[in-house]
Amino acid sequence: GDSVTQMEGPVTLSEEAFLTINCTYTATGYPSLFWYVQYPGEGLQLLLKATKADDKGSNKGFEATYRKETTSFHLEKGSVQVSDSAVYFCALYTGGFKTIFGAGTRLFVKA
Amino acid sequence: NAGVMQNPRHLVRRRGQEARLRCSPMKGHSHVYWYRQLPEEGLKFMVYLQKENIIDESGMPKERFSAEFPKEGPSILRIQQVVRGDSAAYFCASSPGEGEKLFFGSGTQLSVL
């Protein structure tokens, strides 16, 4: 079945460091791919998305490129801030009513 | 335009009691999804509903759990005879259609004593 695999956390970085959170997927068909972010005590918010191969989603300095050949959608940011501390979820949608989420990766950014 | 509203925010129940979790989707959204998040785990899909219909309940435990989305009023996730293993954060999400991005509520944290 369809699935999403994310790198395990927590990831701890210093402010202004480069961030990469790896995400790979298994899906039949051609999924849409998403990154959601969950701040402490809140629900998930959509961060960015890509709907077809080679698309790049971007928002708030975060980027992810839909790589069909490697079935990946890695999240990157050039310079993280303390306020980026949160849990990040990779997700896919192939139709069939439900969005499938990865296990989440917790990011801590130290000042 | 209010977002997805879930209540209560925190719910404490003793083993054997019933838990009722409510979700009001965003205005104009007719698709509601319930997810469960266990500590240090990802979101697990439970059920997908449209008004008055359960479309996909493949993630729902077969016993004690039920969900509804009536013509009027919020969607309800009901857990009968709760056990400690039901302790988790339950999130509701809504969307205006299939395949659209999901809008999440702030969740209900259920604690079973």
Side-chain angles (χ1 to χ4, degrees):
Chain A
D2 298 345
S3 65
V4 176
T5 303
Q6 291 181 233
M7 64 186 286
E8 282 191 32
V11 174
T12 302
L13 295 173
S14 297
E15 212 166 18
E16 299 184 4
F18 185 86
L19 169 71
T20 299
I21 300 178
N22 290 338
C23 170
T24 57
Y25 66 90
T26 302
T28 53
Y30 302 96
S32 294
L33 300 173
F34 305 83
W35 278 101
Y36 283 81
V37 58
Q38 183 182 29
Y39 297 103
E42 297 183 13
L44 279 70
Q45 305 171 27
L46 179 66
L47 181 59
L48 54 84
K49 71 174 187 179
T51 57
K52 60 183 189 297
D54 300 324
D55 267 3
K56 177 185 284 188
S58 61
N59 186 25
K60 300 181 182 178
F62 291 89
E63 293 182 341
T65 301
Y66 189 142
R67 301 284 188 204
K68 186 165 177 281
E69 63 276 12
T70 54
T71 61
S72 65
F73 193 54
H74 304 321
L75 182 68
E76 296 181 336
K77 186 175 185 182
S79 176
V80 293
Q81 306 300 312
V82 172
S83 58
D84 293 326
S85 297
V87 182
Y88 292 82
F89 291 89
C90 186
L92 68 81
Y93 178 83
T94 56
F97 312 121
K98 58 182 181 256
T99 299
I100 295 171
F101 289 85
T105 302
R106 186 176 296 275
L107 170 66
F108 291 108
V109 180
K110 301 181 297 184
Chain B
N1 187 14
V4 178
M5 304 300 292
Q6 287 189 249
N7 66 81
R9 192 71 192 268
H10 301 276
L11 182 61
V12 179
R13 286 286 178 265
R14 297 189 180 280
R15 280 180 296 172
Q17 292 185 319
E18 179 180 285
R20 279 179 176 251
L21 288 63
R22 293 176 184 78
C23 169
S24 296
M26 284 184 72
K27 188 176 180 181
H29 288 193
S30 57
H31 300 243
V32 167
Y33 308 77
W34 285 93
Y35 286 82
R36 177 164 62 177
Q37 184 179 34
L38 293 166
E40 302 305 317
E41 293 188 19
L43 287 165
K44 300 298 184 186
F45 168 80
M46 299 182 74
V47 62
Y48 163 53
L49 311 101
Q50 294 181 22
K51 281 288 186 181
E52 300 185 275
N53 290 304
I54 297 174
I55 307 300
D56 183 346
E57 56 180 350
S58 57
M60 288 272 276
K62 293 289 185 281
E63 297 178 351
R64 302 186 298 108
F65 284 71
S66 62
E68 63 177 11
F69 188 17
K71 188 176 179 182
E72 301 292 336
S75 175
I76 305 287
L77 179 67
R78 183 180 177 211
I79 311 172
Q80 296 178 287
Q81 299 175 323
V82 295
V83 301
R84 289 222 174 102
D86 297 333
S87 296
Y90 292 82
F91 287 96
C92 170
S94 72
S95 69
E98 290 177 24
E100 303 281 343
K101 75 175 187 180
L102 299 178
F103 294 80
F104 281 84
S106 297
T108 294
Q109 181 65 51
L110 172 65
S111 298
V112 179
L113 304 179

